[in-house]
Structures are given as structure tokens and as C-alpha cells.
Amino acid sequence: MNTSRDNFGSRFGVLVALTGSAVGLGNLWRFPYLMGENGGAAFIIIYLIFVFVLCLPIMYSEFVLGRRSQTNVFGAFKVLAPGSKWSIVGLFGVLASISILAFYCVVGGWSIEYLVKALCFDFTRQGTVNYETMFSDFVSSPVKPVVYHVIFLVMTAAICLGGVKKGIEKFAKIMMPLLFVMVIIIAIRSLTLEGASAGISYMFKPDFSKINSGTLLAALGQAFFSLSLGCGTIMTYGSYVSKDENIMKCSVITSFSDTLFAIIAGCAIMPAVFAFGISPSEGPGLVFITLPRIFAQLPLGGIIAILFFLTLLLAAVTSSISLLEVVVTYLLEEFKIKRKTAVFLTFFLILILGTLCSLSQGVLSDIKLFGMTFFDFFDYVSSNILMPVGGLLIVLFVGWRLGKANLFDELTNSGKLKVPQWLLEITFFIIRFLAPVTIAVIMIF
Ligand code: PHE
């Protein structure tokens, strides 16, 4: 084991850092609106199948590659398949992380603005406010969202500067339990509203006629995004995990916590949406346009609004640090530079790309890449291309190149852990055949 590398200090530290990466805007912002657009319960069921059948083995794969190689996403393939072209897969991971960060930090910045608004009780003050104009005026302005995006990026970089144990792990240990408590409080408030039951039946009574190929792609893309798969974060965090840790157990707990958080977030949002007679398929604006409208009418809405946007912000930070860490570890180890330099370089790169994404909501909205604004381009390319293709290549690598013996060796800690043979065999089957075929088929259609 490479002892000069920073590592996580405890199992709890590993779990909160992984869950911190997984729980983020994906759970609070993306999951509820995708569920709203794709028919509620039916979407949730498909999502659950993808998470636990397909994505869990992919998470094992990434974890195995990281821990076995004890190095960054790019270096991992050089260590595990020397002299081959596989390290290109690692570059995919670095690119995916950069492209997610570009728009993620912008939305992170929006959550700061909304937290500030909540702290000033802007949503609950008397008088009629048009939340749609409030949102569109804000995101399209050339200064404020850019400044907030920089603040968000500074927070992210500052934590990464502290390193793995003293930065990432320490932050996640405090934040993750807090996040769960906050989202549960909001859910209780929402579930006890008069008329909440319509939202609950929307979430838990499936209507399978709503399912089509678009639903499948949306559910798969969301599973990848929410579990932080296909872009090297699990690999990078995995490389900081000790050889005694149980990879399967950690992955199951992470996937379970992430899914639980998404469902609780749904329970925090959907019952309120229905109770106030708003359409659940409001799209990406759900969190920033619909919710403030609800907070305005909700008893204790002012406090709930503060809690909600604080949760959104902190959840986003624990995720963005895991993305930044992929790029930082890559620069640090492949170019033999100091952590500080690596963090600064990544910071400036994202600063430029993020500014372009932010401005593309307003002054730069006419500049199009393949017909999309900068913001939509980075969102589209990362969720629909780089992450699924990255995931596909990773399972192909593990299933066909690393091979069964090495996979089982790593999953059982060289035989020290008793894992039933049938479970290992099924896992291998999914990694070798089922996952690559399903991802490829869904992407093609
Ligand atoms: N999983 C995070 C979320 O749900 C986003 C993310 C994607 C983080 C990929 C790291 C890697 O918001």
C-alpha cells in the first residue's frame, strides 16, 4: 500500500464521504422533477431496479479499480493494464467530472442566492411575488449568479485543499447526519399538510402506462448521476479506502442511503406540490420556482425555506468536492504537483467554464454549441454521454480485462470476507454481460 497517500480515517468516514458524494442536487433538485415529469411511482420503481440490479455492481467495479490500484482514475488503468490504451477511460472520468462541475457549481450558486432570500424572509413577506420572474431575472443577470457561483467554488476548493482526512472526511462527518435530519423535518411538515395524500399516492401508486423508452433513459441517467457513477468519483474515493474495508457493504450502504434520501426528498416536495394544487411536472424550475411559492403559504414556511435551501447548498458542496477531487488527484499524481497547485488549477478551469454556463442563461444565451447553450451542453454531455459511456467502459474493463479472479479477490479482501459464491457469480454476470448490454441498448434507443 502506498503509505505516502492521504487516506480516509475510519469506516464511518468512508461511508459519509461516499454518501456525501452521492447525495446532492441529484436527489433534491433532479429526482423530484424527473419523477414529476415521468409519472411518479412508475418512475420510482424503474429507478429502484436500475439502482440495485445494474448500478450497484457498477459501483463495486469502480470501487475495486480504485482500491486495487491505489491511484487516480487515469493512473488506475496504467497500473491495472500496463501498456494498453485503457487509460483513455480515465480521461473520460476527468472530462466528465470537469463538465459536471461546470454547471453543478452554477446551480450550487443559485442555492446560495435562495438561501440568502430565505434568510431575509423574501418568500414569506406579504405581497404578491411572481416566483417565475424572480428566478428568471436572477439566473439571467450577468453579475449576481456569477458571483454566487464563485463563492460556491471557493467553498468546494477550500475543503479539497484540506485533503482527504482533514478536509473531505471531516466536513462530510458533520454535514451528512445534519442533512438527513433537515430533510426529515421538511418531509414531516409537508406530509402533515391537508391534501398531502394526493402527493403520496402519486409517489407510491404506479401508473405503468406512463413508461416509455424516454422514461428508461431518464431513470438510468438519474441513477448514474445520483450514485456518482461513471466519472471516477467512486474510483478516486475508493483509492483512499483501506484494504480491510468491505467494498460490497460500503456500496450497498451508500446506494441505500442515497435512494432513501431521494425518496425522503420526494416526500418533502410532492405532498406540498399537490396540497397547493401545483402541477408536479414543472421541470427543472420545481425547486426554485414552485417551492418558494409553497413556502410562502406554508405555516412555518419561512423557517422551512431556510432549512431547505441550506440542505440544498450543503448537499451540493459534499458532492462537488468529490468531483473536484477526481481532477485534483489526477493532476497531483500524474503531473507530480502539490495539492495546492492542483486545487488552484482546477479552480481556475471551472471558474472559466462555470462563468460561461452562468452567463449562457442570459447575455450569452445566443451562443450555441451543437444547438445548446453552454449550460445545457455541459449538462447534456456529462449525463447522457460521458457518464454512461464511462460506466460502460468501466464494466467492460472489469468484466473482460481485469477478470473474475481479480474481481473476487478484491471483493472478498483476498478471501478474508465470507461472501456467498452465488452472489459473486451473479455480480460478475451483471458486470460482464447485463450491465454493458443494457447501457448500450438504452443509449442507442
Ligand atoms: N451524485 C451527485 C448528486 O446527486 C452528483 C454527482 C455526480 C457527484 C457525479 C459526483 C459525481 O447530486
Side-chain angles (χ1 to χ4, degrees):
M1 186 165 196
N2 182 350
T3 47
S4 63
R5 284 183 105 227
D6 202 354
N7 273 307
F8 288 120
S10 65
R11 161 172 288 188
F12 182 65
V14 173
L15 288 175
V16 286
L18 283 168
T19 312
S21 169
V23 168
L25 297 173
N27 306 58
L28 285 156
W29 169 62
R30 231 162 164 264
F31 183 77
Y33 85 74
L34 282 175
M35 170 170 77
E37 286 177 340
N38 290 284
F43 176 82
I44 298 187
I45 293 174
I46 298 184
Y47 178 78
L48 289 177
I49 297 174
F50 278 146
V51 167
F52 290 102
V53 178
L54 210 64
C55 291
L56 196 55
I58 303 179
M59 191 182 273
Y60 297 158
S61 304
E62 282 206 31
F63 219 129
V64 162
L65 296 181
R67 195 179 65 170
R68 202 163 180 84
S69 64
Q70 298 277 306
T71 184
N72 65 88
V73 255
F74 181 74
F77 292 95
K78 285 201 296 189
V79 171
L80 300 171
S84 72
K85 295 234 163 29
W86 279 102
S87 39
I88 294 174
V89 182
L91 283 184
F92 254 81
V94 175
L95 280 182
S97 301
I98 291 174
S99 105
I100 299 172
L101 273 170
F103 72 91
Y104 206 87
C105 291
V106 174
V107 184
W110 297 351
S111 65
I112 303 184
E113 158 77 3
Y114 272 68
L115 175 61
V116 174
K117 280 196 197 312
L119 285 168
C120 301
F121 291 95
D122 274 5
F123 307 125
T124 42
R125 245 192 258 137
Q126 293 301 322
T128 39
V129 185
N130 184 335
Y131 295 102
E132 203 141 357
T133 338
M134 182 193 241
F135 180 67
S136 58
D137 284 353
F138 164 66
V139 296
S140 60
S141 109
V143 184
K144 236 177 168 188
V146 176
V147 173
Y148 279 126
H149 134 265
V150 178
I151 298 177
F152 183 86
L153 193 51
V154 169
M155 287 167 70
T156 305
I159 300 166
C160 282
L161 218 47
V164 178
K165 205 179 287 138
K166 296 208 190 89
I168 298 172
E169 182 173 344
K170 208 168 165 191
F171 185 73
K173 266 184 179 162
I174 305 168
M175 290 312 153
M176 292 319 292
L178 194 65
L179 283 180
F180 271 90
V181 173
M182 290 197 290
V183 78
I184 289 172
I185 296 177
I186 305 169
I188 293 175
R189 174 65 283 220
S190 180
L191 288 167
T192 49
L193 283 170
E194 206 174 308
S197 56
I200 301 170
S201 58
Y202 183 76
M203 278 183 68
F204 298 106
K205 267 212 205 115
D207 172 4
F208 287 105
S209 67
K210 292 262 167 54
I211 295 176
N212 53 37
S213 62
T215 321
L216 294 182
L217 183 61
L220 183 71
Q222 173 61 13
F224 262 80
F225 188 83
S226 195
L227 295 174
S228 308
L229 295 177
C231 58
T233 45
I234 305 292
M235 263 175 90
T236 305
Y237 274 11
S239 75
Y240 294 126
V241 168
S242 96
K243 289 281 183 196
D244 314 314
E245 206 50 79
N246 186 332
I247 290 183
M248 294 175 98
K249 209 183 223 171
C250 285
S251 306
V252 171
I253 297 177
T254 305
S255 307
F256 182 78
S257 317
D258 182 62
T259 309
L260 184 68
F261 196 96
I263 305 266
I264 303 176
C267 290
I269 295 172
M270 283 305 158
V273 165
F274 277 85
F276 288 100
I278 291 165
S279 155
S281 50
E282 287 274 318
L286 186 68
V287 160
F288 294 103
I289 299 168
T290 312
L291 287 187
R293 208 185 318 164
I294 294 173
F295 295 143
Q297 306 166 48
L298 194 69
L300 290 182
I303 307 288
I304 296 293
I306 297 175
L307 271 187
F308 181 82
F309 288 109
L310 186 63
T311 311
L312 191 65
L313 170 62
L314 296 176
V317 178
T318 53
S319 297
S320 62
I321 50 181
S322 72
L323 286 161
L324 201 78
E325 188 62 21
V326 173
V327 191
V328 167
T329 315
Y330 162 69
L331 292 175
L332 190 128
E333 294 181 344
E334 293 303 312
F335 298 94
K336 311 262 175 300
I337 54 177
K338 287 208 191 81
R339 175 169 277 272
K340 220 187 203 162
T341 321
V343 172
F344 276 115
L345 285 174
T346 319
F347 174 87
F348 281 112
L349 177 65
I350 307 299
L351 183 73
I352 295 167
L353 297 178
T355 303
L356 289 174
C357 284
S358 183
L359 293 177
S360 76
Q361 302 283 327
V363 284
L364 297 186
S365 62
D366 289 336
I367 301 182
K368 299 271 159 74
L369 298 173
F370 302 96
M372 291 173 270
T373 63
F374 283 110
F375 188 101
D376 294 340
F377 174 78
F378 284 110
D379 185 2
Y380 183 87
V381 167
S382 51
S383 321
N384 294 350
I385 301 174
L386 292 171
M387 293 175 87
V389 174
L392 178 66
L393 293 172
I394 285 169
V395 278
L396 286 177
F397 180 81
V398 174
W400 296 87
R401 169 80 198 226
L402 188 74
K404 201 175 189 173
N406 286 324
L407 175 71
F408 290 0
D409 181 63
E410 200 61 35
L411 289 179
T412 59
N413 294 352
S414 305
K416 283 195 225 63
L417 298 173
K418 294 281 160 274
V419 184
Q421 191 63 24
W422 60 266
L423 188 60
L424 291 171
E425 295 290 345
I426 292 181
T427 304
F428 185 66
F429 174 79
I430 297 175
I431 292 174
R432 192 168 161 115
F433 300 107
L434 192 65
V437 171
T438 316
I439 299 173
V441 167
I442 292 183
M443 278 192 72
I444 291 166
F445 286 102

